[in-house]
Amino acid sequence: MILEKKESCGLFGIFGDAEAVQQTFLGLYSLQHRGQESAGIASSNGEFIQCYTGMGTVGRVFRSGSGLLEKLANPIVIGHVRYSTTGSSIQLNSQPLLSEYSHGQVAVAHNGNLINAQLLRDEYEAHGSIFKSTSDTEIITHLLAKPTHVSNPDPLAHVLNHLQGAYCLLFLFADRIEAARDPYGIRPLCVGQTEKGSYVVASESCAFDMVGAKFIREVEPGEIIRLDEKGLRSRFFVKPGTVTPAHCSFEHIYFAKQTSRIFGENVHEFRKKLGRQLAKEHPVEADVVIPIPDSGTSAAIGYAEQSKLPFDMGMVRSHYVGRTFISPDQKSRELEVKLKLAIVKEAVARKRIVVVDDSIVRGTTTRGKIRTLRQAGAKQIHMRVSCPPLRFPCFYGVDFPTKEELLANNRNIEQIKEFLEVDSIGYCSLEGLLGCATLPAENYCTACWTGKYKIPVDIPVNKFALER
Ligand code: SF4
């Protein structure tokens, strides 16, 4: 659990349920790991959309007794939890983003990063458009409102073809929800159905478990799913099979919840496979395997299974540390790590331990934990990481630090070992990682390890690029 890389957002939507707002609240709760900076819900009674967003977690924004959920009670609802990857963490950038244009109201919720947002915004501003936020999402509503786009037979499909980058989008119109996934399928999005028959759509299937819905399928790359009075209908804005997918491997390794099913398989099972692969590639004589909780836990179980070493909880994560005072900068991340992870001395003292984590970003927080394990009496520390060394930034919706700040940038394995002050270090190979996946290797994005970006990035995306 290294809090140096963050997901960009979580989405939830439900059509035609008397308790749609409560269901959305619960769905967003289960997606909270995808963003804790702000939360919002937009709902429609079929004619009029209302929206409320606020800073903080879902429970904080829609706290019990606030009366907000009651005020938003309508049968057609979308919701959003945010971690900022474009634009600051401020109220104006919280979502859903509600706008009004010549065809009525629309609320938009976005997970991902548009790599051509700056170009599009410059173009619109040159023609006098005024933007109220600094997030990349707002350009989408401007595109929708453009008269030549409005008159298109399928304005939404037409607009989506102007976007480049990673996006899963929920659009709430007064009478319907439209859910879209970019042609590369970078971020996950799936559709389900409740026992009462209402269709739901969410970033991860863990949200379906929360509202008693069954998983139907993933939204396909380049597909638009429309939920309205007639049920569920599908259409494609990019011809299926014309684009090779680039699913984000990091979703499987770190971001997604262990209970979720994404890219065709369960996250926990995938991470266990990675742990087994890691043990095959980097065995070591040791007394115990411990994870950095929670994201390293599944891989550590796999490592312990394969190496026939005992598994133990050498670190315990506190679930009672709120994020209300946490802002997304390095200093507060370090404080957060300190508050969240505590060492179980009895599990590590006088032992040769294998520490398993999902990845290492800057390495400073990992080194801090290694030092604490030494102070607790660990005899030897062997670091094992369930993905290759991170060397390149992500432009598709993950807030990594700059290339220069990444531990593996310009450092070889020996130098990384010295920096972290460990007795040995082993990373899962890229071939090993991709070999664990259900889908063919070419269906994944691996740019943060290889620097090969499947969607070319002409202008490197900067989180604050849209701020003056
Ligand atoms: S660059 Fe890395 S984090 Fe970003 S989409 Fe690709 S695999 Fe995921």
Side-chain angles (χ1 to χ4, degrees), residues 3 10 21 86 107 116:
L3 302 151
V21 172
T86 304
N116 63 339

Side-chain angles (χ1 to χ4, degrees), residues 8 44 49 55 85 107 145 156 172 220 223 284 324 371 385 388 406 411 455:
S8 50
S44 172
I49 298 174
M55 299 305 291
T85 54
L156 186 56
L172 174 68
E220 295 296 325
E223 184 181 21
V284 64
T324 50
R371 285 178 180 167
V385 188
L406 294 169
R411 276 194 186 88
I455 312 175

